[in-house]
Amino acid sequence: TLKQLTDTITTVKQQHSRLVAGILADLDRYHQDLTSYSEQMIGMETMKSRMIQESARLLSHAENLTEGDGAITTSTLQKISLMLQAEKDFMLFGAPGAAATVQENVSSIEENALRAMRQTGDGDEQLKAFRISKVAAIYQRIFADYLTKRQNLQELMQRTHSSRDAFAEDLRTFVDLEQKESQTQVNKLKSFTITVSLIAVALTLVITIIVSAWITRPLEQLKKSAMSVLKGDLNTTVTINSQDELG
């Protein structure tokens, strides 16, 4: 029984070692994914701040544009307004199609600025239009990078959730196994204790019987001899070799 108990404990220990190694690996993956997610979130917030700054610069430059063809200026301001609204919807609510609306309007703003540069002969107005086209191009590049990072972040978030779920599942399995094995060990210990107790009781009974026989046998001999004397047999003898009171 002791050998079986030792073998069981050794087996459980080996199983737990493998399970614990798996739990630690899942925890490490979850920690890495969570760290990457946090870093990318900070990077996206930085990009979002840059986009807001560039959109503000774009609006400021467009308001200063006063080229001969007022239709271009009006169209540019309208496109900027639509772009800013779509940007807000995308940032706050992730509205479907908002990102495409932002990109379409930014492209139109850049085209309007380039057209204004060609149509005006005023160097100052050409510089203003150039600044608008430049800022629009920068904004468009930042927004495209932001979309890519946003997609990567969503994939990373899903991977982080998967890592978390895997870790939680392994941990639940470990706890269940611990409880099951603990109960198994408790039951085996109970059985072992009962077995030992029964063996101890049996040994006690055997020893008691042996001791009782060792003590009572001389008494029985004396009793038998005394009864023989009472019956008139005065030649009866008793063989007792001990040196105690009975001897």
Side-chain angles (χ1 to χ4, degrees):
T1 303
L2 284 175
K3 186 178 184 304
Q4 292 177 350
L5 186 60
T6 302
D7 293 340
T8 302
I9 293 174
T10 302
T11 302
V12 170
K13 183 178 180 181
Q14 292 174 350
Q15 292 176 348
H16 284 192
S17 297
R18 292 191 295 269
L19 184 56
V20 168
I23 292 175
L24 293 177
D26 288 337
L27 180 60
D28 185 60
R29 282 193 296 271
Y30 176 65
H31 180 265
Q32 291 177 357
D33 291 341
L34 187 61
T35 301
S36 299
Y37 180 81
S38 301
E39 292 174 351
Q40 290 197 24
M41 277 293 295
I42 294 174
M44 286 189 62
E45 289 299 322
T46 302
M47 292 183 67
K48 186 187 296 186
S49 177
R50 285 192 61 194
M51 280 194 301
I52 293 174
Q53 291 177 358
E54 295 301 328
S55 60
R57 287 178 58 196
L58 191 60
L59 180 60
S60 176
H61 290 321
E63 289 175 344
N64 293 329
L65 185 62
T66 57
E67 89 297 336
D69 187 0
I72 295 179
T73 301
T74 302
S75 175
T76 300
L77 290 173
Q78 289 176 345
K79 297 294 182 182
I80 292 176
S81 177
L82 292 173
M83 182 204 75
L84 292 176
Q85 183 61 46
E87 177 193 81
K88 179 180 178 182
D89 294 340
F90 178 72
M91 294 297 180
L92 296 179
F93 312 110
T101 301
V102 171
Q103 291 177 312
E104 291 173 2
N105 283 283
V106 171
S107 296
S108 297
I109 293 167
E110 186 176 5
E111 292 174 1
N112 285 347
L114 294 175
R115 188 162 61 249
M117 287 175 60
R118 291 191 299 267
Q119 291 183 1
T120 182
D122 189 336
D124 187 49
E125 292 300 319
Q126 287 181 342
L127 179 59
K128 292 178 182 178
F130 172 76
R131 288 172 178 171
I132 292 175
S133 66
K134 188 69 173 178
V135 173
I138 294 173
Y139 180 90
Q140 191 168 21
R141 185 174 66 254
I142 295 174
F143 190 78
D145 291 342
Y146 181 84
L147 290 179
T148 301
K149 287 187 178 296
R150 182 185 176 94
Q151 179 64 30
N152 293 338
L153 186 65
Q154 290 176 347
E155 295 174 358
L156 180 58
M157 181 174 62
Q158 293 176 354
R159 190 165 68 247
T160 301
H161 289 168
S162 298
S163 300
R164 180 200 61 193
D165 294 341
F167 167 70
E169 181 63 26
D170 286 346
L171 190 60
R172 281 194 295 269
T173 302
F174 177 75
V175 172
D176 292 342
L177 181 61
E178 278 287 337
Q179 292 178 342
K180 181 179 178 180
E181 293 299 334
S182 296
Q183 186 61 44
T184 301
Q185 297 308 315
V186 169
N187 293 336
K188 288 186 177 182
L189 287 174
K190 286 182 179 179
S191 300
F192 178 72
T193 302
I194 293 173
T195 301
V196 171
S197 299
L198 292 175
I199 293 174
V201 170
L203 289 175
T204 302
L205 290 175
V206 170
I207 293 173
T208 300
I209 292 173
I210 293 174
V211 172
S212 297
W214 179 68
I215 294 175
T216 59
R217 186 179 295 109
L219 294 177
E220 288 294 332
Q221 291 178 358
L222 290 175
K223 178 180 177 182
K224 184 177 180 181
S225 178
M227 294 299 295
S228 297
V229 171
L230 289 175
K231 291 178 182 180
D233 184 5
L234 301 179
N235 295 321
T236 184
T237 61
V238 180
T239 303
I240 299 178
N241 297 323
S242 65
Q243 299 299 320
D244 53 10
E245 290 81 356
L246 289 177

